[in-house]
Amino acid sequence: MPELAEVFYYAKQWDAGKDKRITALDIRSRTRVFRATDTAALSEGLAGAKLLRTRTHGKQMLFEFSKGQWLTIHLGMTGELAAKPEPYEPARHDHLVLHTRTHAMIFTDPRQFGSVQYHQGKSPPPAWLTLPPQPMDEGFTVPRLREVLQRHARQPLKALLLDQRWFPGIGNWMADEILWQMKLPPHLLAGSLDEKDASALHRTIRKVCRVALKTIGVDWDDPPLNWLFRYRWEDGHCCPRCEAELVRESVRGRTACWCPVCQRAR
């Protein structure tokens, strides 16, 4: 599933249609991605509108259009955004295409776990205004992180880092990377971290997010060679730090990749 940096990258793809008037829409209204959307209102509202601004928050995207129109998009597991030169003919899994004179803005999702929601009003959708602080936001503080760790003291760290209520945008690979850089095993209970650990975890979360945004988020490049990222996706790889064979196992139903030597349990 796309995470913070991937979502940022995909959102930028629609910049090709910024400030251009929408001349036509192709909507596959019966697909699951529109399960919470009035597609007739969407089609009527966006016709003739212009894309003004793009925002991302964690794994969500918000697109502001003229005339008080808003689209919230979640990519799910297989969703992608793209911009293609016109004329463009929608492909099999293209559920939403916004046509302009020069470019088509496309949302495609083969497995349809993503979603498109439409909102009309002067302000963003109410749900957007109540989202928790992202790891790079000022509101994501060490005291807040310590409080979360203690509130969920019996939760394995890997599972807690995936909780979007507290760590919006962090997904499977980012959680693995954070714990590997911290030399902490994924099943270590959150409550076992002391204040010094919490401060170090805060710094590592921000570092991983910052580098991911500068690499994946900018041009889909990979993070540094000495990161776990490049070795975690398949069985049989070795730790880039100590060369021990990496372990892949399930933690609360999600696959975790970690080094049993570097990340030895306390």
Side-chain angles (χ1 to χ4, degrees):
M1 181 179 291
E3 303 179 27
L4 182 147
E6 290 95 336
V7 168
F8 183 80
Y9 172 84
Y10 280 125
K12 291 194 310 175
Q13 304 312 300
W14 275 18
D15 285 353
K18 191 174 180 180
D19 296 323
K20 295 182 174 65
R21 194 172 303 280
I22 296 173
T23 58
L25 296 88
D26 284 306
I27 302 176
R28 292 207 167 101
S29 58
R30 296 191 178 185
T31 58
R32 286 189 298 169
V33 300
F34 295 110
R35 51 192 172 273
T37 302
D38 182 342
T39 53
L42 185 160
S43 182
E44 181 180 354
L46 288 188
K50 294 181 180 181
L51 175 61
L52 302 179
R53 285 173 211 85
T54 298
R55 310 182 200 179
T56 63
H57 188 287
K59 298 182 180 182
Q60 301 187 59
M61 309 172 182
L62 181 65
F63 298 92
E64 180 183 358
F65 294 83
S66 59
K67 304 189 296 182
Q69 321 294 315
W70 307 81
L71 282 185
T72 305
I73 296 180
H74 193 289
L75 296 176
M77 294 182 67
T78 58
E80 296 182 2
L81 297 189
K84 302 289 185 181
E86 293 283 14
Y88 179 80
E89 187 69 26
R92 178 182 177 186
H93 299 297
D94 293 345
H95 306 297
L96 174 65
V97 182
L98 307 178
H99 296 274
T100 71
R101 186 176 59 83
T102 60
H103 287 85
M105 295 176 282
I106 306 150
F107 171 53
T108 184
D109 184 5
R111 298 186 65 181
Q112 298 183 37
F113 290 126
S115 66
V116 177
Q117 296 186 28
Y118 174 65
H119 172 73
Q120 291 178 299
K122 294 181 179 179
S123 302
W128 187 270
L129 300 175
T130 60
L131 292 171
Q134 302 179 92
M136 300 303 293
D137 294 344
E138 289 185 5
F140 185 80
T141 62
V142 175
R144 175 184 172 85
L145 177 56
R146 284 202 301 263
E147 180 185 351
V148 171
L149 294 172
Q150 291 306 312
R151 184 184 299 181
H152 301 277
R154 303 299 300 172
Q155 186 92 300
L157 276 173
K158 171 63 184 275
L160 182 57
L161 286 170
L162 297 178
D163 192 330
Q164 298 302 291
R165 295 174 299 173
W166 314 116
F167 306 98
I170 293 180
N172 227 18
W173 81 257
M174 294 186 80
D176 283 348
E177 188 67 48
I178 290 164
L179 294 174
W180 179 81
Q181 293 196 19
M182 284 284 296
K183 298 185 178 180
L184 297 175
H187 44 72
L188 183 70
L189 298 183
S192 66
L193 271 62
D194 58 24
E195 289 192 11
K196 183 178 179 181
D197 294 328
S199 295
L201 179 60
H202 183 267
R203 289 193 300 272
T204 305
I205 290 172
R206 284 182 177 267
K207 172 190 171 184
V208 169
C209 291
R210 182 175 64 254
V211 175
L213 285 168
K214 287 182 177 179
T215 53
I216 297 171
V218 171
D219 56 11
W220 207 254
D221 195 13
D222 286 341
L225 281 169
N226 60 348
W227 276 28
L228 177 69
F229 175 88
R230 296 171 180 258
Y231 311 94
R232 66 169 297 279
W233 303 97
E234 299 174 347
D235 294 336
H237 288 283
C238 293
C239 173
R241 186 164 48 208
C242 73
E243 298 187 353
E245 186 173 350
L246 295 170
V247 172
R248 288 168 57 83
E249 62 180 347
S250 179
V251 177
R252 295 285 178 94
R254 298 293 298 275
T255 300
C257 180
W258 60 290
C259 175
V261 175
C262 292
Q263 297 169 261
R264 188 176 292 115
R266 298 179 176 183

